[in-house]
Amino acid sequence: MTRKYKVLFLCRENSARSIIAEALLRELAGHRFDAFSAGPEPAARVHPFAVAQLRPGISDLGILSPKSWLEFTGEWAPRMDLVVALDESVDAHHTPAFPGEPASCTWAFADPLADDIAESERARLFEKVFWQIVRQMSAFIELPQYATPASVAATAAAIPALSAATQRVTTCDA
């Protein structure tokens, strides 16, 4: 039986980048991965520009919602294999301890919700970030260590390969 890897994507409000990453991983490789997303300060709803980027190709937008990362810290929480921070302010020094001691890394993408972005440019930045996440996710799901069942230790050992393969990972801790 093939094991599904559990991946948690984090960003501050869990309304844009992490939601996009969760939806893309579920859509592109849901047969091999269980995808989740969360953040320390979850927004009230998924950002409309994130929904607009996902709408053309994602089959089940209704299951996407901002969540607190605390939902993934209890005894009952699913045991993640990998935690990916998509927000530079959400790194290993700020994240809570997740059960099972999953591997972690950071993929750096611009924040399309940053206060210094002109509203007239926000939709364009959302599109740019969306396609950057698509490219990163495509490289990630093609990594050979995710093609067959592996232990958490093997997953952790694979994190440097992810960095070399994608050149978008800024920090990784195995």
Side-chain angles (χ1 to χ4, degrees):
M1 176 167 26
T2 302
R3 170 172 106 69
K4 288 177 84 171
Y5 295 93
K6 291 178 176 54
V7 181
L8 176 61
F9 296 99
L10 303 175
C11 72
R12 188 172 44 86
E13 293 182 2
N14 186 220
S15 67
R17 292 167 291 178
S18 55
I19 290 284
I20 290 170
E22 173 189 0
L24 286 171
L25 185 57
R26 186 177 291 125
E27 192 72 23
L28 296 172
H31 61 289
R32 292 187 292 148
F33 296 92
D34 286 327
F36 305 90
S37 68
E41 303 168 19
R45 63 187 170 93
V46 175
H47 195 280
F49 286 155
V51 172
Q53 288 299 316
L54 293 168
R55 181 160 280 127
I58 303 300
S59 57
D60 195 0
L61 292 174
I63 63 173
L64 300 173
S65 66
K67 295 167 285 307
S68 170
W69 61 13
L70 296 177
E71 292 183 30
F72 297 92
T73 61
E75 286 182 32
W76 41 264
R79 300 297 191 253
M80 297 299 149
D81 296 298
L82 178 63
V83 175
V84 180
L86 300 175
D87 184 328
E88 290 177 351
S89 70
V90 181
D91 61 19
H93 302 290
H94 298 99
T95 59
F98 294 104
E101 299 180 19
S104 65
C105 67
T106 300
W107 295 348
F109 297 107
D111 182 1
L113 299 175
D115 292 335
D116 62 345
I117 306 291
E119 284 304 313
S120 60
E121 293 295 312
R122 198 167 304 280
R124 191 174 65 79
L125 183 56
F126 259 90
E127 182 176 9
K128 179 181 177 183
V129 168
F130 172 81
W131 287 109
Q132 289 172 340
I133 295 172
V134 166
R135 284 189 297 277
Q136 179 75 27
M137 197 64 64
S138 297
F140 172 72
I141 64 178
E142 293 301 319
L143 292 172
Q145 61 270 23
Y146 296 114
T148 58
S151 68
V152 172
T155 301
I159 297 302
L162 173 61
S163 178
T166 63
Q167 296 300 309
R168 299 270 315 145
V169 176
T170 56
T171 61
C172 286
D173 303 310

